[in-house]
Amino acid sequence: MAVEVVMPKLGMAMKEGTVSLWNKGVGDSVEKGEPIASVNSEKIEIDVESPAEGTVLKITVPEGEGVPPGTVICFIGKPGEEVTVGQALVPVQKPEVENEASAKKPAESTIPARKAGERVKISPIAKKMAEAANLNIEEIQGSGPGGRITKEDVQEALKKSSIQKKEKSEEKPVELQEETQQVTVSGIRKVIAARMYDSLQKTAQLTINMKIDVTELIALQKQTVETIKNRYDQKLTLTDYIAQAVVLSLQQHQQMNSALIDDKIHLFKPVHLGMAVALDRGLVVPVIRNADTYKLMDLSRTFKELAQKARQGQLSNEEMQGSTFTISNLGSYGVEHFTPVLNPPETGILGVGAVYDTPSFVGDKVERRSILPLSLTFDHRVLDGAPAAAFLQTVKQYLEEPITMLL
């Protein structure tokens, strides 16, 4: 009996998922656990694995189409097996094998011409070959069932293209051309692109920079590492201390913990802190809700748990919404100063750079000091440069006198 493959539920609030890519086509054999498709919701994208060994009998949801979770997106079974798609059983046509001799193909004259605006039908391997060769699939005539473009059709198009290029090269001087790979913007990358573009278009963003002397903070971190490990089985990072300093500073500068919505500035009392996490597929921002009620150890533990869930693709939509301020750290990449982009409708985002050592005057003596660069981007519609600088100055005071964060 054919096995149903359904659209997974990617978060409690998910109402619709989209098939971003089919790795297998009808007639392709699959192993149990082999990725057969990529699906995404608004912020999460995962691979759907085959629940059984067999053949892809029918694909019911094409690429780019959104359906509710639990919807059957394809069937896996034995070749020629019948499947049910919300109606009586219908026989499954065995697709034409793409590597058969070209003599078995229908004659070109019998292939129906594609109508204007008609969706191009193409096998996954043929699609990949066409994209790699930068061929326009709209210009390729398919010889498979229903006009489907097969691997042999793409190979034939490549031959014709090669002949045409050779003829042109004999007429014109050879011109250097760069090979390009085209990647469709979809899933998390598409959401990020839309949000960042919208952020820059609809806000008045300004970035100010400040250098923080964290020599004493690093010394405190080293002095307490064994005690914290033995007592809490945990490690406090520089990012943890920065997060604590930001939370304490936001409580003193409420204008930075705000949002401009419908021409009204909303000042928030609780601090819902967003902490950006970089993934292979894009950036996600898990949110520590009511961070102002957390102690330093709890703040550190919660962030690490959320970051782990983010890397495993297990964050719910609720855990990525409602932030009132965001921290983005590129220090591990060696970046010092950068310009972070606001996460609307927030008023501020703090960019954290890499710590570096430099000689500095301490009184009349020159000492080796550790410097942390910070970059604060804020919405100039909500507040001016002076109050934004005052907030950053408060963050500086906490980090340069770290004992005050523990009192």
Side-chain angles (χ1 to χ4, degrees), residues 75-310:
F75 290 86
I76 306 293
K78 297 179 180 179
E81 187 177 352
E82 296 179 336
V83 296
T84 303
V85 190
Q87 54 185 17
L89 293 179
V90 293
V92 176
Q93 268 193 327
K94 185 178 180 181
E96 184 174 319
V97 179
E98 293 190 2
N99 61 359
E100 290 183 356
S102 57
K104 294 184 180 181
K105 291 184 181 180
E108 280 191 19
S109 59
T110 64
I111 300 173
R114 188 181 301 117
K115 298 179 182 179
E118 183 180 357
R119 181 177 178 273
V120 178
K121 298 178 181 178
I122 183 170
S123 70
I125 188 171
K127 184 177 181 180
K128 291 180 180 178
M129 289 173 61
E131 289 176 347
N134 201 24
L135 293 178
N136 184 358
I137 61 175
E138 295 282 352
E139 298 175 358
I140 302 176
Q141 184 62 53
S143 62
R148 187 173 187 241
I149 299 173
T150 66
K151 179 176 69 175
E152 285 75 21
D153 296 327
V154 176
Q155 290 173 337
E156 186 64 25
L158 284 171
K159 289 180 183 178
K160 292 180 181 179
S161 176
S162 178
I163 294 173
Q164 292 173 356
K165 287 180 180 178
K166 185 177 180 181
E167 291 175 349
K168 289 182 179 179
S169 66
E170 293 174 352
E171 299 173 1
K172 301 179 181 179
V174 177
E175 296 181 0
L176 295 177
Q177 294 184 351
E178 294 184 358
E179 294 291 336
T180 62
Q181 181 182 4
Q182 297 182 6
V183 180
T184 301
V185 179
S186 61
I188 297 177
R189 185 75 265 154
K190 187 174 182 179
V191 173
I192 292 174
R195 286 181 61 85
M196 293 301 96
Y197 179 80
D198 187 66
S199 173
L200 290 170
Q201 294 296 312
K202 296 182 178 180
T203 57
Q205 301 191 26
L206 178 66
T207 302
I208 56 177
N209 303 308
M210 187 173 288
K211 296 178 181 178
I212 317 296
D213 188 336
V214 291
T215 307
E216 303 302 328
L217 174 58
I218 292 176
L220 175 65
Q221 183 186 16
K222 291 179 179 179
Q223 291 170 5
T224 58
V225 63
E226 288 298 328
T227 302
I228 292 174
K229 182 178 180 181
N230 293 333
R231 179 172 296 183
Y232 301 100
D233 191 24
Q234 199 171 330
K235 179 182 178 181
L236 286 178
T237 66
L238 194 60
T239 301
D240 296 329
Y241 285 102
I242 295 170
Q244 179 73 349
V246 166
V247 171
L248 293 172
S249 300
L250 288 172
Q251 291 176 280
Q252 297 179 41
H253 301 270
Q254 195 174 11
Q255 198 173 3
M256 186 61 70
N257 192 48
S258 64
L260 181 59
I261 304 173
D262 297 330
D263 295 325
K264 293 182 180 180
I265 298 175
H266 296 249
L267 303 175
F268 301 110
K269 185 175 181 180
V271 176
H272 304 315
L273 186 64
M275 301 287 285
V277 176
L279 307 177
D280 291 339
R281 294 173 178 171
L283 192 74
V284 296
V285 184
V287 180
I288 304 175
R289 300 192 65 82
N290 300 304
D292 52 301
T293 64
Y294 285 48
K295 294 182 179 180
L296 178 58
M297 298 304 302
D298 297 328
L299 193 68
S300 171
R301 185 182 300 106
T302 303
F303 170 58
K304 289 177 176 61
E305 290 173 354
L306 289 172
Q308 182 65 18
K309 291 180 69 175

